[in-house]
mmCIF file of all heavy atoms in Angstrom:
data_model
loop_
_atom_site.group_PDB
_atom_site.id
_atom_site.type_symbol
_atom_site.label_atom_id
_atom_site.label_comp_id
_atom_site.label_asym_id
_atom_site.label_seq_id
_atom_site.Cartn_x
_atom_site.Cartn_y
_atom_site.Cartn_z
ATOM 1 N N LEU A 1 7.497 2.644 4.515
ATOM 2 C CA LEU A 1 6.439 2.146 5.410
ATOM 3 C C LEU A 1 5.652 1.008 4.755
ATOM 4 O O LEU A 1 5.367 -0.008 5.388
ATOM 5 C CB LEU A 1 5.489 3.291 5.778
ATOM 6 C CG LEU A 1 6.029 4.364 6.729
ATOM 7 C CD1 LEU A 1 5.060 5.538 6.810
ATOM 8 C CD2 LEU A 1 6.257 3.784 8.118
ATOM 9 N N LEU A 2 5.307 1.203 3.475
ATOM 10 C CA LEU A 2 4.551 0.163 2.767
ATOM 11 C C LEU A 2 5.382 -1.112 2.615
ATOM 12 O O LEU A 2 4.850 -2.225 2.750
ATOM 13 C CB LEU A 2 4.122 0.676 1.397
ATOM 14 C CG LEU A 2 3.068 1.801 1.397
ATOM 15 C CD1 LEU A 2 2.828 2.308 -0.011
ATOM 16 C CD2 LEU A 2 1.764 1.341 2.030
ATOM 17 N N ASP A 3 6.682 -0.958 2.343
ATOM 18 C CA ASP A 3 7.562 -2.135 2.215
ATOM 19 C C ASP A 3 7.631 -2.908 3.532
ATOM 20 O O ASP A 3 7.655 -4.144 3.540
ATOM 21 C CB ASP A 3 8.962 -1.706 1.778
ATOM 22 C CG ASP A 3 9.013 -1.274 0.314
ATOM 23 O OD1 ASP A 3 8.054 -1.568 -0.423
ATOM 24 O OD2 ASP A 3 10.007 -0.633 -0.080
ATOM 25 N N LEU A 4 7.662 -2.191 4.657
ATOM 26 C CA LEU A 4 7.668 -2.856 5.968
ATOM 27 C C LEU A 4 6.343 -3.587 6.206
ATOM 28 O O LEU A 4 6.327 -4.731 6.669
ATOM 29 C CB LEU A 4 7.894 -1.828 7.080
ATOM 30 C CG LEU A 4 9.333 -1.328 7.250
ATOM 31 C CD1 LEU A 4 9.370 -0.135 8.195
ATOM 32 C CD2 LEU A 4 10.233 -2.446 7.776
ATOM 33 N N LEU A 5 5.243 -2.928 5.868
ATOM 34 C CA LEU A 5 3.934 -3.553 6.065
ATOM 35 C C LEU A 5 3.710 -4.727 5.110
ATOM 36 O O LEU A 5 2.928 -5.633 5.404
ATOM 37 C CB LEU A 5 2.831 -2.500 5.884
ATOM 38 C CG LEU A 5 2.751 -1.482 7.039
ATOM 39 C CD1 LEU A 5 1.975 -0.251 6.632
ATOM 40 C CD2 LEU A 5 2.131 -2.128 8.279
ATOM 41 N N ALA A 6 4.423 -4.726 3.980
ATOM 42 C CA ALA A 6 4.320 -5.836 3.028
ATOM 43 C C ALA A 6 4.947 -7.112 3.578
ATOM 44 O O ALA A 6 4.689 -8.206 3.058
ATOM 45 C CB ALA A 6 4.993 -5.455 1.707
ATOM 46 N N LEU A 7 5.757 -6.989 4.634
ATOM 47 C CA LEU A 7 6.284 -8.184 5.300
ATOM 48 C C LEU A 7 5.191 -8.888 6.095
ATOM 49 O O LEU A 7 5.287 -10.067 6.397
ATOM 50 C CB LEU A 7 7.434 -7.798 6.245
ATOM 51 C CG LEU A 7 8.647 -7.113 5.597
ATOM 52 C CD1 LEU A 7 9.637 -6.669 6.669
ATOM 53 C CD2 LEU A 7 9.323 -8.060 4.600
ATOM 54 N N ARG A 8 4.154 -8.150 6.420
ATOM 55 C CA ARG A 8 3.045 -8.685 7.220
ATOM 56 C C ARG A 8 1.832 -9.048 6.361
ATOM 57 O O ARG A 8 1.061 -9.952 6.692
ATOM 58 C CB ARG A 8 2.638 -7.651 8.272
ATOM 59 C CG ARG A 8 1.572 -8.111 9.248
ATOM 60 C CD ARG A 8 1.144 -6.990 10.169
ATOM 61 N NE ARG A 8 2.263 -6.453 10.932
ATOM 62 C CZ ARG A 8 2.198 -5.340 11.663
ATOM 63 N NH1 ARG A 8 1.068 -4.646 11.687
ATOM 64 N NH2 ARG A 8 3.234 -4.923 12.339
ATOM 65 N N HIS A 9 1.638 -8.307 5.260
ATOM 66 C CA HIS A 9 0.443 -8.492 4.430
ATOM 67 C C HIS A 9 0.816 -8.753 2.975
ATOM 68 O O HIS A 9 1.829 -8.255 2.488
ATOM 69 C CB HIS A 9 -0.455 -7.246 4.490
ATOM 70 C CG HIS A 9 -0.864 -6.846 5.871
ATOM 71 N ND1 HIS A 9 -1.811 -7.549 6.587
ATOM 72 C CD2 HIS A 9 -0.454 -5.824 6.669
ATOM 73 C CE1 HIS A 9 -1.972 -6.967 7.773
ATOM 74 N NE2 HIS A 9 -1.163 -5.924 7.843
ATOM 75 N N GLU A 10 -0.028 -9.490 2.285
ATOM 76 C CA GLU A 10 0.146 -9.701 0.847
ATOM 77 C C GLU A 10 -0.006 -8.368 0.109
ATOM 78 O O GLU A 10 -0.826 -7.534 0.520
ATOM 79 C CB GLU A 10 -0.914 -10.686 0.325
ATOM 80 C CG GLU A 10 -0.769 -12.095 0.843
ATOM 81 C CD GLU A 10 0.484 -12.770 0.300
ATOM 82 O OE1 GLU A 10 0.822 -12.541 -0.882
ATOM 83 O OE2 GLU A 10 1.129 -13.504 1.070
ATOM 84 N N PRO A 11 0.760 -8.160 -0.975
ATOM 85 C CA PRO A 11 0.625 -6.904 -1.740
ATOM 86 C C PRO A 11 -0.804 -6.622 -2.194
ATOM 87 O O PRO A 11 -1.201 -5.470 -2.287
ATOM 88 C CB PRO A 11 1.552 -7.133 -2.936
ATOM 89 C CG PRO A 11 2.588 -8.093 -2.433
ATOM 90 C CD PRO A 11 1.868 -8.986 -1.480
ATOM 91 N N ALA A 12 -1.585 -7.679 -2.457
ATOM 92 C CA ALA A 12 -2.969 -7.486 -2.893
ATOM 93 C C ALA A 12 -3.832 -6.844 -1.810
ATOM 94 O O ALA A 12 -4.902 -6.294 -2.102
ATOM 95 C CB ALA A 12 -3.579 -8.820 -3.299
ATOM 96 N N LEU A 13 -3.371 -6.928 -0.549
ATOM 97 C CA LEU A 13 -4.125 -6.346 0.562
ATOM 98 C C LEU A 13 -3.657 -4.935 0.903
ATOM 99 O O LEU A 13 -4.108 -4.344 1.888
ATOM 100 C CB LEU A 13 -4.007 -7.238 1.798
ATOM 101 C CG LEU A 13 -4.591 -8.651 1.651
ATOM 102 C CD1 LEU A 13 -4.340 -9.470 2.910
ATOM 103 C CD2 LEU A 13 -6.085 -8.595 1.336
ATOM 104 N N ILE A 14 -2.728 -4.397 0.080
ATOM 105 C CA ILE A 14 -2.200 -3.042 0.282
ATOM 106 C C ILE A 14 -2.693 -2.159 -0.857
ATOM 107 O O ILE A 14 -2.504 -2.461 -2.029
ATOM 108 C CB ILE A 14 -0.657 -3.044 0.315
ATOM 109 C CG1 ILE A 14 -0.147 -3.911 1.478
ATOM 110 C CG2 ILE A 14 -0.118 -1.620 0.422
ATOM 111 C CD1 ILE A 14 1.356 -4.075 1.519
ATOM 112 N N MET A 15 -3.341 -1.052 -0.518
ATOM 113 C CA MET A 15 -3.878 -0.141 -1.525
ATOM 114 C C MET A 15 -3.426 1.293 -1.218
ATOM 115 O O MET A 15 -3.410 1.716 -0.054
ATOM 116 C CB MET A 15 -5.411 -0.199 -1.534
ATOM 117 C CG MET A 15 -6.088 0.833 -2.428
ATOM 118 S SD MET A 15 -5.634 0.734 -4.185
ATOM 119 C CE MET A 15 -6.555 -0.734 -4.684
ATOM 120 N N THR A 16 -3.046 2.022 -2.263
ATOM 121 C CA THR A 16 -2.768 3.453 -2.123
ATOM 122 C C THR A 16 -3.830 4.200 -2.914
ATOM 123 O O THR A 16 -4.378 3.691 -3.883
ATOM 124 C CB THR A 16 -1.365 3.822 -2.643
ATOM 125 O OG1 THR A 16 -1.331 3.678 -4.066
ATOM 126 C CG2 THR A 16 -0.300 2.938 -2.014
ATOM 127 N N CYS A 17 -4.132 5.444 -2.489
ATOM 128 C CA CYS A 17 -5.163 6.201 -3.196
ATOM 129 C C CYS A 17 -4.927 7.699 -3.041
ATOM 130 O O CYS A 17 -4.195 8.146 -2.150
ATOM 131 C CB CYS A 17 -6.561 5.826 -2.696
ATOM 132 S SG CYS A 17 -6.870 6.247 -0.972
ATOM 133 N N ALA A 18 -5.554 8.463 -3.916
ATOM 134 C CA ALA A 18 -5.487 9.921 -3.872
ATOM 135 C C ALA A 18 -6.728 10.465 -4.553
ATOM 136 O O ALA A 18 -7.452 9.741 -5.236
ATOM 137 C CB ALA A 18 -4.220 10.424 -4.562
ATOM 138 N N LEU A 19 -6.969 11.757 -4.371
ATOM 139 C CA LEU A 19 -8.165 12.364 -4.946
ATOM 140 C C LEU A 19 -8.082 12.452 -6.465
ATOM 141 O O LEU A 19 -9.011 12.085 -7.181
ATOM 142 C CB LEU A 19 -8.377 13.760 -4.356
ATOM 143 C CG LEU A 19 -9.644 14.490 -4.789
ATOM 144 C CD1 LEU A 19 -10.886 13.727 -4.363
ATOM 145 C CD2 LEU A 19 -9.679 15.892 -4.218
ATOM 146 N N SER A 20 -6.952 12.926 -6.989
ATOM 147 C CA SER A 20 -6.828 13.116 -8.436
ATOM 148 C C SER A 20 -6.185 11.903 -9.095
ATOM 149 O O SER A 20 -5.425 11.158 -8.476
ATOM 150 C CB SER A 20 -5.989 14.360 -8.745
ATOM 151 O OG SER A 20 -4.629 14.145 -8.414
ATOM 152 N N GLY A 21 -6.490 11.734 -10.375
ATOM 153 C CA GLY A 21 -5.918 10.621 -11.131
ATOM 154 C C GLY A 21 -4.414 10.707 -11.237
ATOM 155 O O GLY A 21 -3.711 9.703 -11.113
ATOM 156 N N ILE A 22 -3.870 11.923 -11.438
ATOM 157 C CA ILE A 22 -2.419 12.065 -11.589
ATOM 158 C C ILE A 22 -1.696 11.769 -10.278
ATOM 159 O O ILE A 22 -0.629 11.156 -10.270
ATOM 160 C CB ILE A 22 -2.055 13.482 -12.113
ATOM 161 C CG1 ILE A 22 -0.575 13.568 -12.486
ATOM 162 C CG2 ILE A 22 -2.419 14.562 -11.128
ATOM 163 C CD1 ILE A 22 -0.161 12.747 -13.670
ATOM 164 N N ALA A 23 -2.286 12.171 -9.143
ATOM 165 C CA ALA A 23 -1.678 11.874 -7.845
ATOM 166 C C ALA A 23 -1.695 10.379 -7.579
ATOM 167 O O ALA A 23 -0.733 9.816 -7.031
ATOM 168 C CB ALA A 23 -2.403 12.627 -6.733
ATOM 169 N N SER A 24 -2.789 9.725 -7.973
ATOM 170 C CA SER A 24 -2.876 8.273 -7.823
ATOM 171 C C SER A 24 -1.834 7.570 -8.684
ATOM 172 O O SER A 24 -1.146 6.644 -8.229
ATOM 173 C CB SER A 24 -4.286 7.811 -8.211
ATOM 174 O OG SER A 24 -4.338 6.420 -8.365
#
């Protein structure tokens, strides 16, 4: 999904996140 959305947006505008540091 992120790779598809990267066709529309610059990678700098894509962020992933999670609650814990290890999950992030």
Side-chain angles (χ1 to χ4, degrees):
L1 289 171
L2 292 175
D3 287 345
L4 283 169
L5 288 162
L7 300 174
R8 185 185 302 170
H9 304 286
E10 293 292 322
L13 297 177
I14 299 175
M15 173 59 74
T16 69
C17 64
L19 184 62
S20 70
I22 189 67
S24 167

